[in-house]
Amino acid sequence: MATPSLVKSKFVSAEERRNIFKKLKHDPENRICFDCPQRNPTWASSTFGVYICLDCAGGQRRLGTHVSFVRSVDMDEWTPEQLESMKLGGNKKARLYFREHGVNDLHQRQDTKYNSSTARHYKSQLQRSVTQSLATLNKETKNVTTNVKIDIDKEKKNRLWS
């Protein structure tokens, strides 16, 4: 059995999470709650890739994790998939999508907004984008790893025959 220090975590490191959110918070749209006008939201829905305030996070949590999975951007651990959702989403993108699909009052009741067909379609579209993005990243990482292994194998072979 591997020692705990050798077991790869399914979560990103706290430092990586902080750096990603610091960069994403530069977007002014992400500095206002998606569900209300509250400034500096510290919670997020990885399901929708949006930033929300503490009060709205409570409301979304009451809807259930099957509707919206809510995390603290500061305190909770995040998976690569959840962070990719935040990178590909964001409040601006979600606002535009909802408005383009007939949801003009983004401050409406959360149960109405997040159980709408617009929300279901956006959630599905974002999830597809996340899956595609991670597949591309994994393929690129695999190619880099394979190339490094080939270079190391060549170097070992050259040493044996020298």
Side-chain angles (χ1 to χ4, degrees), residues 10-28:
K10 69 177 189 172
F11 299 107
V12 299
S13 70
E15 181 182 358
E16 183 179 357
R17 182 196 73 231
R18 275 191 301 274
N19 289 339
I20 289 169
F21 280 121
K22 183 178 179 181
K23 181 179 176 185
L24 294 174
K25 286 288 198 114
H26 279 287
D27 181 346

Side-chain angles (χ1 to χ4, degrees), residues 44-48 60-61 64-71 77-78 82:
S45 166
S46 61
T47 307
F48 291 95
Q60 283 199 32
R61 283 190 164 193
T65 56
H66 66 287
V67 175
S68 181
F69 193 67
V70 175
R71 319 280 304 145
E77 293 184 302
W78 288 70
Q82 291 166 341

